Amino acid sequence: MESKTRCKWCSGIDIYEKYHDEEWGVPVYDDQKLFEFLILETFQAGLSWITILRKRENFRLAFNDFDYSKIAEYSEDKIQELLQNAGIIRNQLKVRSAVSNAIAFMKVQEEFSSFSEYIWQFTEGKPITNNPKTIKDVPATTPLSDAISKDLKKRGFKFVGSTVVYAHMQATGMVDDHVEDCWRKE
């Protein structure tokens, strides 16, 4: 089996390597997928990404395949059901924010015709390619993630601090932070 040089953060863990090789840094313009990553990143706040990846399918099942129109209509009973679901992160504030973020997401869609149009305007519709030599050169936040975070909060989104936003930008390919010796580096 051929060994690939990858960004060090994912080495040695199959689910991490698969995510790195197939998703991380790949531009996403589909609203459904952008919402999925938004939900996953907000639940990741304060936790490790591997925790979220390992629970991703549980999140998919619990949150109606990340269907924001269904999530926006979750009742208190559904929220309580989610809070009892050991397969996801059972943080009450994060569960409730998934519902309010779905509502805010649809408001953005109404204003901009799609969430993709809204979020990608911050990078003029194309990825920002950084050239980090090592993982130590990859920032946790940038002035751009600060600005996007501020705008999302103004629009009613929760758990969208600058670190979460920057991770979302990396996950959805708005930013390419693959290190220089990674096989995925363009």
Side-chain angles (χ1 to χ4, degrees):
M1 187 167 134
E2 183 182 328
S3 180
K4 296 177 180 177
T5 301
R6 294 179 174 91
C7 298
K8 297 267 186 265
W9 60 264
C10 70
S11 294
I13 302 173
D14 290 344
I15 194 170
Y16 246 178
E17 289 180 356
K18 181 175 173 33
Y19 170 70
H20 170 273
D21 292 356
E22 297 175 9
E23 293 184 90
W24 195 69
V26 176
V28 174
Y29 296 94
D30 175 73
D31 274 11
Q32 190 72 34
K33 198 69 168 173
L34 287 166
F35 184 74
E36 175 182 346
F37 277 116
L38 182 66
I39 292 299
L40 294 174
E41 294 293 353
T42 60
F43 272 91
Q44 187 264 333
L47 302 170
S48 68
W49 185 241
I50 191 69
T51 299
I52 300 304
L53 278 181
R54 288 180 174 143
K55 293 179 178 278
R56 189 177 191 177
E57 290 310 310
N58 296 333
F59 275 102
R60 188 180 313 286
L61 291 171
F63 285 94
N64 293 92
D65 205 27
F66 302 106
D67 183 334
Y68 45 84
S69 62
K70 288 181 181 176
I71 296 169
E73 295 181 2
Y74 279 1
S75 66
E76 184 61 28
D77 286 344
K78 176 64 175 179
I79 290 169
Q80 292 304 316
E81 175 189 316
L82 290 167
L83 291 172
Q84 300 306 311
N85 186 336
I88 65 168
I89 306 302
R90 296 179 287 180
N91 177 297
Q92 183 165 196
L93 293 175
K94 290 178 181 182
V95 169
R96 291 185 184 282
S97 77
V99 177
S100 63
N101 285 350
I103 293 166
F105 189 89
M106 291 191 305
K107 286 181 182 172
V108 166
Q109 286 178 315
E110 288 173 18
E111 183 178 347
F112 291 87
S113 80
S114 73
F115 187 81
S116 180
E117 287 290 323
Y118 161 75
I119 201 72
W120 280 95
Q121 75 175 333
F122 290 98
T123 63
E124 299 177 2
K126 54 187 186 266
I128 296 168
T129 301
N130 294 325
N131 295 301
K133 290 190 183 307
T134 71
I135 195 70
K136 291 178 184 175
D137 299 322
V138 177
T141 65
T142 63
L144 181 57
S145 67
D146 294 345
I148 296 171
S149 171
K150 184 177 179 180
D151 197 71
L152 286 167
K153 288 176 183 176
K154 182 180 80 177
R155 294 174 184 283
F157 287 85
K158 309 261 190 276
F159 284 94
V160 289
S162 189
T163 302
V164 167
V165 168
Y166 195 72
H168 186 264
M169 293 170 69
Q170 291 171 312
T172 60
M174 292 176 69
V175 175
D176 177 356
D177 275 336
H178 289 282
V179 296
E180 68 180 9
D181 64 345
C182 177
W183 75 272
R184 288 289 318 276
K185 189 66 179 173
E186 300 283 326

